[in-house]
Amino acid sequence: MLPVVVVHGGADHIPKERSKNSMSGVCSATRAGYAVLKGGGSSMDAVVEAVTQLENNPSFNAGCGSVLTVKGDVEMDAIVMDGKTLGSGAVSAVRNIANPVQLARLVMDKTSHACLTAEGASQFARSMGVPEVPQESLITEYIRMHWKKNLAPGANPVECQMGKMGTVGAVAVDSEGNVACATSTGGILNKMEGRVGDTPCIGCGGYADNQTGAVSTTGHGEAIMKVTLARLILFHMEQGQSVEAASDLGLAYMKSRVGGLGGVVTVDPQGNWAARFSSLQMAWAAAQKDTLHYGVYCGEHFTQSIEDPN
Ligand code: ASP
């Protein structure tokens, strides 16, 4: 069954004209992650590579393409976790860097901490030689338009926050059976300055443990935090549920208990995987045994050879 990588591009309502780009983005990020695994790379290398690609893709709400705070700024959150050691690294409310997921990995690898925030995270980035980028290079016209719309009198940014997101994440199992997860986001539309969502919170935006599996989540962060969604799904797996059933149970509980919608990608150390969501759509893709699996609407599951470029 091994190795495998599974990627999501956010639990969303994806406008029709954008769904093609979301689909091709998650497919090419999955191919990149799978190439790392096939080349003997670790599951951590694979999830960071896949998420880096999606951060660089302006179709997604992470890195370039991040949504804006109410003041019009980009503040990003990211997490990585290594199932072998339970080591994790995260950044929250970080500005002016292209790839928060790589900074999260540096927090894990180079500090004794699990999360750095805001200006402290920026200082750490500088000390590690991570290039600073102008905020403008992270902002797309599409996102600026949504931001402006939500500032208009009568707009309902809370309702809008339930959709049009596009957080990205990945889980993987490598050929040694090590699992890992990575998640990265610009957060939710017109959020307050300093708002930190679920993504960088361990057990919420992601969790990885070789004894059970790995999960990366997406959806309304305030709801995800209330039910610690990633850890909840792994709890159900510990109780004997399959990756699919555990993912559905976690999402159903979040919906019934706190009215939250979302999506997840999940693996177990044997290489069983699932991509499940309670939102209208979630662009997802997986690669295993040289086959690419993908879909965006509920019930959709296409397959093709990993070699096929389309
Ligand atoms: N979970 C993210 C947040 O609340 C948003 C998303 O997944 O789209 O920051």
Side-chain angles (χ1 to χ4, degrees):
M1 293 281 271
L2 308 179
V4 61
V5 58
V6 197
V7 166
H8 70 76
D12 243 321
H13 165 63
I14 309 171
K16 255 218 158 81
E17 68 279 9
R18 290 178 69 85
S19 75
K20 221 175 151 209
N21 280 352
S22 300
M23 213 49 266
S24 66
V26 290
C27 285
S28 58
T30 300
R31 281 198 175 87
Y34 191 64
V36 170
L37 294 172
K38 291 284 273 189
S42 67
S43 50
M44 177 57 67
D45 292 338
V47 293
V48 170
E49 176 60 28
V51 168
T52 297
Q53 291 235 347
L54 293 168
E55 286 176 339
N56 293 341
N57 184 330
S59 299
F60 297 96
N61 171 18
C64 173
S66 285
V67 300
L68 306 180
T69 67
V70 71
K71 287 194 173 166
D73 293 317
V74 174
E75 291 185 352
M76 301 166 288
D77 301 335
I79 191 168
V80 297
M81 186 162 180
D82 180 344
K84 188 176 179 183
T85 61
L86 301 191
S88 67
V91 289
S92 64
V94 69
R95 296 178 180 219
N96 300 98
I97 60 164
N99 297 112
V101 72
Q102 294 181 8
L103 190 60
R105 188 176 185 173
L106 285 169
V107 171
M108 179 179 77
D109 288 344
K110 305 283 185 202
T111 79
S112 56
H113 303 308
C115 185
L116 292 177
T117 195
E119 182 48 31
S122 298
Q123 276 174 28
F124 173 65
R126 267 176 241 126
S127 76
M128 289 284 114
V130 174
E132 257 179 74
V133 299
Q135 174 160 277
E136 284 309 304
S137 71
L138 301 173
I139 302 178
T140 65
E141 261 323 295
Y142 180 77
I143 291 297
R144 201 187 293 281
M145 180 191 81
H146 273 295
W147 171 72
K148 272 201 189 133
K149 256 191 185 168
N150 280 332
L151 292 177
N156 185 348
V158 173
E159 192 173 285
C160 293
Q161 279 161 6
M162 298 304 285
K164 303 183 197 72
M165 296 193 252
T167 290
V168 304
V171 289
V173 193
D174 60 30
S175 48
E176 290 173 9
N178 294 312
V179 304
C181 69
T183 313
S184 180
T185 188
I188 56 176
L189 289 163
N190 295 54
K191 63 186 181 181
M192 288 172 71
E193 198 177 12
R195 178 261 188 190
V196 173
D198 61 304
T199 300
C201 299
I202 192 164
C204 298
Y207 200 84
D209 182 350
N210 275 5
Q211 291 185 7
T212 323
V215 181
S216 167
T217 71
T218 168
H220 198 244
E222 283 70 5
I224 291 173
M225 285 191 276
K226 284 177 185 151
V227 301
T228 57
L229 184 60
R231 193 63 193 82
L232 177 62
I233 289 168
L234 291 172
F235 164 76
H236 285 302
M237 287 163 65
E238 284 161 1
Q239 303 301 303
Q241 299 289 342
S242 68
V243 285
E244 197 159 278
S247 302
D248 287 346
L249 281 168
L251 287 166
Y253 182 73
M254 183 166 85
K255 190 172 174 185
S256 64
R257 187 73 176 86
V258 296
L261 300 180
V264 299
V265 288
T266 307
V267 286
D268 70 18
Q270 287 71 48
N272 296 300
W273 62 272
R276 309 291 293 171
F277 49 99
S278 54
S279 54
L280 277 177
Q281 286 134 281
M282 181 179 83
W284 63 269
Q288 188 174 47
K289 290 189 206 153
D290 292 345
T291 302
L292 184 70
H293 304 253
Y294 58 97
V296 63
Y297 294 97
C298 187
E300 218 170 52
H301 186 154
F302 302 109
T303 55
Q304 67 182 55
S305 163
I306 200 92
E307 312 294 345
D308 190 336
N310 299 308

